[in-house]
Amino acid sequence: MSRVARLGRCLYKTGKRFESRQPMLQMQAETLTDTPLSSVTTPQYTAAMYKVTEICADAITAAVTTDQADCFEQLKKTDVVPLLMNYLMENEQIICADPTTVEAKLRKMVLGGAGKTVVISDFDYTLSRFANESGERLSTTHGVFDDNVMRLNPELGQKFVDLKNKYYPIEFCPKLSMEEKIPHMEKWWGTSHSLIVNEKFSKNTIQDFVRQSRIVFKDGAEDFIQSLDGHNIPLVIFSAGIGNIIEYFLEQKLGAIPRNTHFISNMILFDEDEKACAFSEPLIHTFCKNSSVIQKETSFFHEIAGRVNVILLGDSMGDIHMDVGVERDGPTLKVGYYNGSLDDTAALQHYEEVYDIVLIHDPTLNVAQKIVDVINSTH
């Protein structure tokens, strides 16, 4: 529907609304004169009638004008949405299967503004890059141990590699259901965490692993995170990886963890000598990233109270429910990064079905930044 048509509908409804109030206004005018207006014949009462009628007419006109102004204001605020939609629809690397729904969600988010928005994002291959310019796959937070331990202890390093080679194909096997995959994911995560704890890696050693790791931010990620902080939009990093690795990485890249950033992840616990001694509970793996693993008493839940509009960023089927458990009544705009093969049409189609916007082999956060910029542009 065009903007003119919307405005016409708005004004039509406005006119009908105030037309229906005229009998009530007339009754109020009669009360003010203490005499039915239809029976008034004397000059003083006639003057009173015209005065009251004039007041009522002015009130109706003012109310209609106010409602019309509100309608214009909403149209003005959401004028930026078609520009973003054009960008999404014209880019060959972006799939927007249901543009009508996406546009409707964006309009609600723009009207709500930054104060009603929260970003919930995966980390591995979402905020971080999947591959470098040469096409070589980069590391995940668990992969930091795969890469670095091999240099220090080849035997232990090979155990990490063997785990990945065994369970990674299961994670992405299209023939297995999620329920069938979950026991394997629990075994993979649990065994990997046990190897880290049994080796008693120190905090300093792990921080050094991160410095030498092959984790790389997506292009624009630093600006994106800082822009969220600047506009006081909470960023919840919901990761099935290792939260400490993400914290150290952000500290090294940004100088400090922004005050708006919060973590739901597997955290390494350290003893008094700052040696790894355990992992936090419950275990978070790819297929349980939902309210079942969120500690309700976590302090940041107070901060996101009232944030009814969610921008969700992920790269897997396990990320699509990260907003479950967040109390809200607004829309969730799901943006998915597809890193798989273009020949796997079934997988790509699955992404189209569960994500509002699918970004194919995108090493940037340009789209996420544009969405946030549009939300901020009118406030």
Side-chain angles (χ1 to χ4, degrees), residues 154-185:
E155 183 179 353
L156 179 59
Q158 190 58 50
K159 291 181 180 180
F160 283 111
V161 173
D162 291 343
L163 284 172
K164 181 177 181 179
N165 291 339
K166 178 179 180 179
Y167 291 108
Y168 186 83
I170 296 175
E171 180 181 358
F172 291 94
C173 178
K175 297 180 180 180
L176 296 177
S177 67
M178 185 182 300
E179 290 72 21
E180 291 172 317
K181 293 178 181 181
I182 286 176
H184 298 286
M185 298 302 101

Side-chain angles (χ1 to χ4, degrees), residues 131-142:
N132 59 21
E133 288 78 2
S134 301
E136 179 185 5
R137 181 175 296 186
L138 297 170
S139 292
T140 63
T141 51
H142 277 101

Side-chain angles (χ1 to χ4, degrees), residues 225-345:
I225 293 172
Q226 290 172 341
S227 71
L228 293 178
D229 187 41
H231 289 95
N232 196 31
I233 298 176
L235 169 62
V236 180
I237 298 179
F238 198 159
S239 173
I242 301 176
N244 312 71
I245 302 294
I246 303 171
E247 288 183 341
Y248 302 155
F249 182 78
L250 293 183
E251 288 171 346
Q252 292 170 17
K253 296 299 180 181
L254 304 177
I257 298 173
R259 67 184 186 280
N260 72 316
T261 303
H262 312 277
F263 302 91
I264 303 174
S265 189
N266 300 297
M267 304 299 295
I268 301 173
L269 308 180
F270 297 94
D271 61 21
E272 58 186 9
D273 297 321
E274 294 197 330
K275 303 283 188 179
C277 63
F279 267 82
S280 60
E281 296 288 344
L283 175 70
I284 303 175
H285 57 75
T286 304
F287 301 111
C288 67
K289 295 174 71 173
N290 52 54
S291 59
S292 68
V293 296
I294 298 176
Q295 302 297 323
K296 294 299 183 183
E297 67 274 12
T298 304
S299 60
F300 72 78
F301 267 89
H302 300 292
E303 182 172 337
I304 66 174
R307 303 275 180 165
V308 297
N309 301 329
V310 179
I311 301 172
L312 184 150
L313 308 176
D315 76 305
S316 74
M317 293 299 107
D319 294 330
I320 61 175
H321 299 301
M322 292 191 295
D323 63 322
V324 174
V326 178
E327 295 182 4
R328 57 183 176 77
D329 56 7
T332 294
L333 184 67
K334 299 184 180 182
V335 181
Y337 291 86
Y338 181 74
N339 300 308
S341 170
L342 293 179
D343 295 330
D344 192 347
T345 55

Side-chain angles (χ1 to χ4, degrees), residues 8-27:
R9 184 172 63 181
C10 176
L11 295 178
Y12 171 76
K13 289 183 177 179
T14 299
K16 296 296 288 183
R17 186 183 309 129
F18 287 99
E19 180 183 339
S20 67
R21 292 176 57 189
Q22 286 179 345
M24 177 185 68
L25 291 169
Q26 182 171 342
M27 181 179 67

Side-chain angles (χ1 to χ4, degrees), residues 192-251:
S192 178
H193 291 177
S194 294
L195 292 176
I196 294 170
V197 169
N198 292 339
E199 191 64 19
K200 297 185 182 297
F201 288 106
S202 71
K203 181 180 293 187
N204 286 337
T205 297
I206 296 173
Q207 290 172 331
D208 187 55
F209 283 175
V210 174
R211 290 188 189 92
Q212 301 182 55
S213 73
R214 294 182 304 114
I215 296 178
V216 178
F217 258 145
K218 269 189 167 68
D219 295 349
E222 294 182 37
D223 291 338
F224 177 70
I225 293 172
Q226 290 172 341
S227 71
L228 293 178
D229 187 41
H231 289 95
N232 196 31
I233 298 176
L235 169 62
V236 180
I237 298 179
F238 198 159
S239 173
I242 301 176
N244 312 71
I245 302 294
I246 303 171
E247 288 183 341
Y248 302 155
F249 182 78
L250 293 183
E251 288 171 346

